[in-house]
Amino acid sequence: MALCLKQVFNKDKTFRPRKKFEPGTQRFELYKKAQASLKSGLDLKAVVQLPPGESINDWIAVHVVDFFNRINLIYGTMSEYCTERSCPIMSGGLKYEYRWQDDSKYKKPTKLSAPQYMCMLMDWIEMLINNEDIFPTRIGVPFPKQFQQVCTKILTRLFRVFVHVYIHHFDSIINMGAEAHVNTCYKHFYYFIREFSLVDHRELEPLKEMTERICH
């Protein structure tokens, strides 16, 4: 029997602590605006568009953090099914394999299990979004020149979480009654990255058929 979403997506299941926006800041106001649009039932394609007069970097920053929280939560709900034994390689079916690389421990692309890859990924994103030099929160502090490049890398890697979940664990999502929630989150994410050309179209290939079916 499917569990209700309130039980499935509970705080205890969160893979990492949620990054929050400070009340009173411009980014908090943008976040509230984005959430209000989502809840109003507007077309998701319209929801992702930059509001008139707003900074594109602020808009991207708000969404990167929100998608990190949401995708982190989705993976957390089914992480018990994603183990070293079930997923010894971080992949999206037989055709796609994702190797981990960063600027510290893994300087060359390294084969990891899916759980290891997810841990490295969430730690890496958390480090970036908490770095004031990359995601500044103080008024008047500009975003760095490479900000959108960093966000492209974050969103590209978050897309791989969707690839792995949909291809290897979607039965578990269905069994938990969370299919509609995950699909909505995916569509929101997809429309956003396409609106601002933030992920290379080649990265989207693993879910191309499914995307054409659910994202009209």
Side-chain angles (χ1 to χ4, degrees):
M1 184 176 175
L3 299 173
C4 70
L5 283 181
K6 198 170 182 181
Q7 288 176 294
V8 174
F9 292 94
N10 61 61
K11 286 188 287 186
D12 297 332
K13 288 276 190 178
T14 306
F15 192 52
R16 288 284 186 279
R18 291 171 68 85
K19 166 79 176 178
K20 295 180 180 177
F21 301 102
E22 290 298 320
T25 63
Q26 182 184 10
R27 215 159 298 161
F28 179 73
E29 295 306 314
L30 269 182
Y31 172 71
K32 285 201 301 183
K33 187 181 291 187
Q35 292 302 302
S37 295
L38 268 179
K39 291 172 184 174
S40 70
L42 289 173
D43 175 18
L44 286 172
K45 286 183 182 177
V47 164
V48 300
Q49 292 171 5
L50 181 67
E54 299 292 356
S55 155
I56 187 171
N57 281 342
D58 274 317
W59 190 241
I60 290 173
V62 163
H63 282 80
V64 167
V65 173
D66 192 40
F67 286 135
F68 167 66
N69 285 334
R70 290 172 184 272
I71 294 168
N72 165 35
L73 187 55
I74 286 170
Y75 182 71
T77 66
M78 41 69 57
S79 58
E80 63 188 284
Y81 306 107
C82 184
T83 65
E84 301 286 330
R85 186 171 181 178
S86 68
C87 306
I89 298 171
M90 175 57 183
S91 62
L94 299 175
K95 194 175 176 182
Y96 300 95
E97 179 183 323
Y98 301 119
R99 298 190 176 193
W100 182 257
Q101 183 176 12
D102 53 38
D103 296 324
S104 52
K105 188 176 179 182
Y106 298 95
K107 296 187 177 180
K108 293 181 180 180
T110 305
K111 184 181 292 190
L112 297 177
S113 68
Q116 286 177 307
Y117 186 100
M118 298 297 185
C119 279
M120 297 301 298
L121 174 59
M122 300 305 176
D123 281 345
W124 174 76
I125 296 175
E126 196 169 29
M127 175 193 70
L128 289 174
I129 63 179
N130 286 315
N131 185 336
E132 283 286 329
D133 293 331
I134 300 171
F135 281 75
T137 57
R138 296 185 299 278
I139 295 173
V141 178
F143 286 90
K145 289 181 180 178
Q146 76 276 21
F147 175 71
Q148 289 191 26
Q149 290 175 285
V150 172
C151 289
T152 285
K153 200 166 186 180
I154 291 172
L155 293 167
T156 298
R157 289 180 169 183
L158 281 175
F159 182 80
R160 295 171 182 177
V161 180
F162 278 120
V163 172
H164 186 73
V165 167
Y166 270 115
I167 293 176
H168 295 278
H169 299 293
F170 202 59
D171 284 350
S172 299
I173 294 294
I174 291 172
N175 290 338
M176 288 188 285
E179 180 181 4
H181 177 89
V182 176
N183 283 347
T184 299
C185 184
Y186 175 76
K187 288 194 285 187
H188 186 203
F189 180 92
Y190 176 79
Y191 289 137
F192 184 80
I193 62 175
R194 297 305 290 161
E195 174 73 14
F196 300 103
S197 302
L198 289 167
V199 175
D200 190 291
H201 68 92
R202 290 170 295 186
E203 284 281 346
L204 307 178
E205 281 294 315
L207 297 180
K208 185 179 177 181
E209 289 183 17
M210 184 204 75
T211 303
E212 288 174 349
R213 196 167 63 248
I214 70 172
C215 298
H216 306 296

